[in-house]
């Protein structure tokens, strides 16, 4: 007789059935399981139900039923396995999501605490060290570089420019020819003057002969008169005194002729000098920085010749084309600046300055204050921008050859310099009395984190100051002083410092 294998009680030795029951119990305990299924025991068609003899599973209806039951059990078992895997996957996803959420929450709580110190809300006090050095004050101004002195050459006579011999950048010496002018009227004036001289000279020669003749006649008559034997003999001779008048007349004529000759000679000299002005020469040595003259250009009569300038103007100019050549002494350069009325009281002649040029990076020239204007260059009461300034001239005694007239110059005038003094920031001064020159500073010691350990107030004597620092006495080099800030008061800071000092002493 055959035995069917289903969901009945398994045989004691059937391990697969036992495992299936355990799986059934486990599935029944799951929260989302809807049906408990026990996997079917695999059929063993070779075992007989009663005597254990082998049977042919292909024979009889029992074999067909057993095969159907086995197929159903295998399908249920596969469904169970898929359910268990899905449950484990969901459980793992929940665990991972929960762990990530826990990490994010922990980071949000812990990281800010780690990155932000416990005393982050407390601002460390601003401090500075007492330093030894040079205390300086300065005024910054701008201007334009110009030659310290210039000569503007203007033709003194009219004419057409010819034979121009110079150009910008040339170096010339005093008396060198710059160019010449063509003017025929000057030649004619010289020729006329020469003829006048010749005529005057002829008149002088004629007058001289008349003087010589009158003198000879007078001398002959005088000798004859003096050599006469008696009065009767003298009575028959010409009276020398009557001839003396002729001598005087002849001498007067000679003097007049000579005066005319002198006048003619002077006229000739003037004509020659005027004609010589057609040759325009350099009145001083220097560098040619500008040339207005051009060959073929006409110049009219000029009111003056070369005009010396301080570098800011052209001086006198002719009534025609004006100045022709500018010659400058580039061995010294001048920088004209404007200093605000607020700073002018600190500027004095002889003060040192440094000058830089926008067009020549890296170049710095030493200069000094040469001149300070007495009258303001601009008056705020007269309108405009309302700024009152005074012209201050700086001179560079040894300028760089790359500096060109007109270059923009930036100058710093050193208005104060005190060497080897102890300095503290002005912000460290407490209760400063400018008239008495007294103040106090708070000397502090700091721990490794920059917090104040001890503090004490020290009276100091204040000397010179600039915009940021003050020279003081009463403290030591290297000591740390506290800078005043908006949240501190002098009394509060002192009280806090005393408390800290007391605590330190108590230890």
């Amino acid at each position: 007789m055959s035995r069917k294998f289903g969901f009945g009680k398994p045989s004691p030795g059937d391990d697969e059935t036992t495992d299936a029951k355990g799986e059934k119990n486990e599935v029944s305990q799951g929260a989302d399981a809807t049906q408990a299924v026990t996997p079917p025991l695999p059929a063993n068609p070779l075992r007989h139900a009663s005597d254990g003899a082998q049977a042919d599973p292909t024979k009889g209806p029992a074999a067909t039923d057993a095969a159907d039951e086995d197929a159903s059990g295998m399908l249920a078992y596969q469904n169970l396995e898929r359910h268990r895997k899905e449950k484990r996957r969901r459980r793992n996803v929940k665990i991972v999501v929960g762990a990530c959420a826990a990490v994010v929450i922990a980071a949000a709580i812990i990281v800010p605490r780690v990155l932000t110190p416990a005393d982050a809300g407390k601002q460390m006090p601003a401090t500075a060290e007492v330093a030894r050095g040079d205390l300086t004050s300065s005024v910054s101004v701008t201007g334009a570089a110009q030659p310290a002195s210039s000569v503007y050459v203007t033709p003194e006579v009219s004419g057409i420019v010819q034979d121009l011999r110079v150009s910008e950048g040339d170096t010339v010496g005093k008396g060198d020819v710059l160019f010449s002018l063509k003017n025929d009227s000057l030649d004619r004036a010289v020729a006329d003057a020469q003829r006048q001289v010749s005529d005057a000279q002829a008149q002088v020669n004629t007058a001289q002969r008349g003087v010589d003749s009158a003198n000879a006649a007078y001398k002959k008559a005088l000798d004859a008169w003096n050599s006469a034997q008696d009065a009767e003999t003298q009575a028959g001779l010409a009276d020398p005194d009557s001839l003396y008048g002729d001598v005087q007349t002849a001498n007067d004529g000679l003097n007049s002729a000579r005066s005319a000759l002198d006048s003619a000679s002077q006229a000739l000299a003037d004509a020659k000098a005027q004609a010589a002005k057609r040759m325009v020469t350099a009145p001083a040595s220097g560098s040619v920085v500008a040339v207005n003259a051009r060959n073929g250009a006409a110049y009219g009569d000029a009111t003056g010749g070369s005009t010396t300038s301080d570098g800011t103007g052209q001086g006198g100019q002719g009534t025609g084309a004006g100045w022709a050549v500018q010659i400058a002494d580039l061995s010294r350069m001048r920088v004209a600046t404007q200093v605000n009325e607020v700073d002018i009281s600190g500027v004095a002649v002889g003060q040192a300055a440094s000058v830089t040029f926008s067009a020549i990076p890296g170049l710095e020239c030493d200069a000094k204050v040469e001149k300070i204007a007495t009258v303001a260059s601009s008056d705020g009461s007269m309108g405009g921008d309302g700024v009152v300034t005074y012209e201050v001239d700086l001179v560079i005694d040894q300028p760089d050859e790359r500096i060109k007239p007109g270059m923009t110059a930036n100058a710093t005038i050193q208005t104060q310099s005190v060497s080897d003094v102890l300095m503290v920031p002005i912000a460290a001064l407490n209760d400063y009395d400018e008239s008495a020159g007294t103040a106090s500073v708070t000397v502090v010691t700091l721990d490794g984190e920059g917090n104040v350990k001890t503090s004490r107030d020290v009276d100091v004597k204040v000397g010179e100051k600039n915009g940021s620092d003050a020279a003081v006495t009463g403290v030591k080099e290297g000591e740390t002083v506290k800078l005043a800030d908006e949240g501190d008061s002098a009394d509060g800071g002192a009280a806090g410092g005393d408390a800290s000092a007391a605590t330190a002493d108590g230890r």
Side-chain angles (χ1 to χ4, degrees), residues 158-234:
S158 61
I160 305 299
V161 177
Q162 62 182 9
D163 190 23
L164 181 62
R165 303 183 184 183
V166 295
S167 58
E168 294 181 7
D170 291 346
T171 300
V172 297
K174 183 177 181 179
D176 290 347
V177 175
L178 305 177
F179 60 91
S180 62
L181 294 171
K182 181 182 179 181
N183 189 329
D184 295 337
S185 63
L186 296 178
D187 294 332
R188 290 193 295 270
V190 172
D192 291 343
Q194 185 64 58
R195 285 193 294 271
Q196 294 294 331
V197 170
S198 298
D199 293 344
Q201 184 64 54
Q203 294 295 329
V204 169
N205 293 338
T206 300
Q208 184 65 51
R209 288 193 295 272
V211 169
D212 292 341
S213 177
N215 282 330
Y218 173 72
K219 185 175 184 304
K220 181 180 179 181
L222 182 61
D223 290 342
W225 183 273
N226 291 332
S227 61
Q229 297 293 328
D230 48 34
E232 286 182 32
T233 304
Q234 289 179 337

Side-chain angles (χ1 to χ4, degrees), residues 281-315:
T281 60
S285 300
S287 299
V288 177
V289 295
V291 178
N292 282 342
R294 298 290 183 272
N295 283 324
Y299 272 82
D301 293 336
T303 59
S306 303
T307 302
T308 301
S309 169
D310 62 359
T312 58
Q314 297 177 358

Side-chain angles (χ1 to χ4, degrees), residues 32-312:
D32 57 348
T34 59
Q35 181 180 0
V37 180
T38 302
L41 295 176
N44 188 359
L46 299 180
R47 184 178 299 276
H48 194 273
S50 61
D51 54 6
Q54 293 182 352
D56 188 356
T58 61
K59 296 181 179 179
T64 302
D65 295 338
D68 293 338
E69 290 181 2
D70 290 342
S72 300
M74 288 301 295
L75 181 59
Y77 180 76
Q78 291 175 357
N79 291 334
L80 176 61
E81 284 297 320
R82 284 196 299 271
H83 178 75
R84 290 172 62 191
K85 291 180 179 179
E86 180 65 22
K87 180 179 180 181
R88 285 196 299 270
R89 187 186 67 80
R90 292 178 179 177
R91 183 170 62 251
N92 292 337
V93 171
K94 291 180 179 180
I95 293 173
V96 172
V97 172
C100 292
V103 170
V104 172
I105 294 173
I109 297 174
I110 297 174
V111 171
R113 295 183 178 179
V114 173
L115 297 180
T116 305
D119 57 351
K122 180 172 65 176
Q123 184 177 3
M124 298 301 177
T127 60
E129 284 192 359
V130 179
R132 181 177 295 276
D134 299 337
L135 183 69
T136 60
S137 298
S138 61
V139 175
S140 297
V141 291
T142 60
Q146 295 292 344
S149 61
S150 295
V151 176
Y152 293 85
V153 182
T154 302
E156 296 183 73
V157 296
S158 61
I160 305 299
V161 177
Q162 62 182 9
D163 190 23
L164 181 62
R165 303 183 184 183
V166 295
S167 58
E168 294 181 7
D170 291 346
T171 300
V172 297
K174 183 177 181 179
D176 290 347
V177 175
L178 305 177
F179 60 91
S180 62
L181 294 171
K182 181 182 179 181
N183 189 329
D184 295 337
S185 63
L186 296 178
D187 294 332
R188 290 193 295 270
V190 172
D192 291 343
Q194 185 64 58
R195 285 193 294 271
Q196 294 294 331
V197 170
S198 298
D199 293 344
Q201 184 64 54
Q203 294 295 329
V204 169
N205 293 338
T206 300
Q208 184 65 51
R209 288 193 295 272
V211 169
D212 292 341
S213 177
N215 282 330
Y218 173 72
K219 185 175 184 304
K220 181 180 179 181
L222 182 61
D223 290 342
W225 183 273
N226 291 332
S227 61
Q229 297 293 328
D230 48 34
E232 286 182 32
T233 304
Q234 289 179 337
L237 298 174
D239 188 355
D241 291 339
S242 62
L243 297 177
Y244 185 73
D246 296 338
V247 172
Q248 289 181 327
T249 301
N251 283 330
D252 291 341
L254 178 60
N255 291 334
S256 178
R258 286 176 174 174
S259 178
L261 177 61
D262 290 342
S263 297
S265 297
Q266 184 62 47
L268 176 61
D270 291 344
K272 288 181 177 181
Q274 193 74 358
K277 293 178 181 179
R278 295 175 303 170
M279 195 69 67
V280 182
T281 60
S285 300
S287 299
V288 177
V289 295
V291 178
N292 282 342
R294 298 290 183 272
N295 283 324
Y299 272 82
D301 293 336
T303 59
S306 303
T307 302
T308 301
S309 169
D310 62 359
T312 58

Side-chain angles (χ1 to χ4, degrees), residues 356-389:
T356 59
F357 298 87
S358 303
I360 312 176
L363 176 63
E364 181 175 344
C365 297
D366 294 331
K368 64 180 179 180
V369 177
E370 184 182 56
K371 184 175 66 174
I372 302 173
T374 303
V375 180
S377 301
S378 59
D379 187 356
S381 63
M382 300 300 292
D385 56 7
V387 178
V388 177
T389 61

